[in-house]
Amino acid sequence: MIIKPSTALRNEYSSISDMAHEEDVPIYITKNGEGDLVVMSIEAFERREEIWRLRAKLAAAEHARVSGQSAISMEESRSRLEAIYGQQA
């Protein structure tokens, strides 16, 4: 975890930007000694957002499975996968 004061964000923007890209982790910015912001590279943010989208889809699928909704057969599932990825040998 990287923690920087808000003055560093103002005075050392380039180095913080470089750090965000090189370390590929969120940088926590404090204000008056308290947590205030989180800074990260766009790539890291987009990866994180994609993970959340996938988790939401998995949660919805699990909820549907548990509640007995929209179950599909193995054959239908196989057909969908073959349509997407082509027939496998």
Side-chain angles (χ1 to χ4, degrees):
M1 177 183 328
I2 300 172
I3 302 173
K4 294 283 184 181
S6 60
T7 55
L9 184 59
R10 181 177 56 242
N11 299 330
E12 305 168 25
Y13 177 84
S14 291
S15 67
I16 290 178
S17 175
D18 292 343
M19 189 183 310
H21 289 279
E22 292 167 6
E23 299 295 326
D24 203 28
V25 295
I27 300 170
Y28 295 82
I29 306 296
T30 62
K31 183 177 180 181
N32 299 323
E34 299 290 326
D36 187 43
L37 300 171
V38 174
V39 177
M40 63 177 58
S41 70
I42 289 175
E43 295 84 6
F45 176 78
E46 289 174 348
R47 248 188 339 271
R48 190 172 283 226
E49 288 295 301
E50 182 61 24
I51 288 169
W52 282 108
R53 280 191 290 275
L54 290 172
R55 285 182 178 177
K57 287 180 181 181
L58 286 171
E62 179 63 8
H63 176 72
R65 184 190 70 79
V66 168
S67 63
Q69 300 170 3
S70 62
I72 62 172
S73 69
M74 185 64 123
E75 293 78 23
E76 186 177 351
S77 178
R78 185 182 315 270
S79 294
R80 288 182 183 184
L81 289 172
E82 287 174 353
I84 293 169
Y85 298 107
Q87 190 166 1
Q88 301 292 318

